[in-house]
Amino acid sequence: SPACPLTATLPRWRGEEGGLRGRRRRLHPPSSQPAKGCATRVAFASLGAMPDFAAERKLGHHQGRIVVGLDEAGRGPLAGPVVAAAVWLEPTRCSRWLRRTLDDSKLVALEVREQLYGAIVQEAGWAVGVASVAEIDEINILWASMLAMERAYAGLGLVADHALIDGDRRPRNLPCDSTAVVGGDALSLSIAAASIVAKVTRDRLMDGLSESHPGYGWERNRGYGTAEHRAALLHLGVTTEHRRSYAPVRARLALTG
């Protein structure tokens, strides 16, 4: 089979995020080969590096080929759905501000993240996909995340030439070529945009669920297993939005027989 364009052209490095917001450590030599299935292990070229269109350019993004980014939010929480987004950033419509400000959603302050979301939904093609708590418990969080990505891609309503996926796994049922990029939300502008849309969308969903299920602090912890959430889980019990396949939730259910 032909070599993956990104595997052939991007450096095979691993990187880590530093403890300070937005700061990244220097590269370390790889300890393993790129993941199977055209996955590319890439990371940060220097301290303070920002995502760019390098990966997209390698795939013909600026010659009219449609390259989309996919990412998810909500794999770790004890409650709530997992949300994915697919984003197509057209080079001629992507503003200079958006290109200079986009970053991994985990590294962006809330106010800036909301501004980025507003710019993305106006300047880009985008869609979101959701996998429910029931689906997470049935097929596990990994494949529920892949399912949400497939739904997000389908929602775009276009046929892409290539999809860039954050992480080391790819959805099985995408109708286009795809590449998994480890740390992709800090490397690719398309993936970074998808991370912003997925994160903001899920945060808003959890805000709504917090009103239906008060006391767990989901408007603050977004369903993650914080001390506040775990204490509420112990005292208030398990809701319909809790993931029963997750150990802390199973443990709480065991207390009630």
Side-chain angles (χ1 to χ4, degrees):
S1 60
C4 169
L6 291 182
T7 304
T9 56
L10 291 181
R12 294 176 181 176
W13 301 96
R14 292 186 301 120
E16 300 175 286
E17 293 175 1
L20 297 177
R21 181 180 297 271
R23 181 172 180 175
R24 295 166 183 141
R25 298 176 184 169
R26 295 188 183 277
L27 300 175
H28 301 284
S31 59
S32 61
Q33 292 297 312
K36 187 177 180 181
C38 194
T40 305
R41 291 190 176 275
V42 290
F44 316 114
S46 63
L47 289 173
M50 296 287 286
D52 57 29
F53 275 134
E56 290 87 341
R57 285 181 181 276
K58 300 295 184 184
L59 296 166
H61 185 241
H62 287 65
Q63 283 77 50
R65 289 174 60 83
I66 298 176
V67 180
V68 301
L70 284 87
D71 199 3
E72 51 72 29
R75 286 181 65 165
L78 305 180
V82 61
V83 176
V87 174
W88 174 34
L89 290 175
E90 295 182 69
T92 57
R93 293 189 60 195
C94 186
S95 67
R96 186 178 182 183
W97 179 85
L98 186 58
R99 292 195 305 272
R100 288 188 168 189
T101 312
L102 259 176
D103 204 353
D104 175 0
S105 63
K106 298 183 291 297
L107 303 177
V108 177
L110 174 60
E111 181 180 352
V112 178
R113 195 160 62 230
E114 289 285 346
Q115 293 172 350
L116 286 167
Y117 176 88
I120 293 165
V121 299
Q122 289 197 16
E123 298 180 23
W126 65 279
V128 297
V130 177
S132 68
V133 168
E135 289 171 321
I136 292 169
D137 288 337
E138 180 180 356
I139 62 177
N140 79 43
I141 186 58
L142 170 63
W143 295 114
S145 298
M146 299 295 108
L147 178 61
M149 287 186 186
E150 291 168 2
R151 289 170 174 167
Y153 176 92
L156 280 175
L158 55 81
V159 179
D161 294 295
H162 207 101
L164 295 171
I165 318 295
D166 184 54
D168 61 358
R169 303 294 290 269
R170 300 177 297 153
R172 292 178 286 195
N173 299 312
L174 289 182
C176 66
D177 293 334
S178 62
T179 302
V181 184
V182 176
D185 47 6
L187 293 165
S188 158
L189 282 171
S190 299
I191 298 177
S195 80
I196 294 289
V197 173
K199 170 66 173 167
V200 171
T201 300
R202 189 178 186 280
D203 283 357
R204 293 177 179 179
L205 282 173
M206 294 309 295
D207 286 344
L209 289 175
S210 72
E211 296 179 2
S212 304
H213 302 280
Y216 296 89
W218 292 346
E219 70 276 16
R220 291 180 295 276
N221 59 52
R222 310 306 187 190
Y224 283 88
T226 62
E228 174 190 31
H229 188 182
R230 287 172 182 264
L233 187 61
L234 180 63
H235 295 295
L236 301 177
V238 176
T239 73
T240 55
E241 295 299 329
H242 278 102
R243 301 174 181 179
R244 284 157 170 76
S245 56
Y246 279 44
V249 180
R250 287 201 310 270
R252 177 61 180 86
L253 287 169
L255 292 178
T256 58

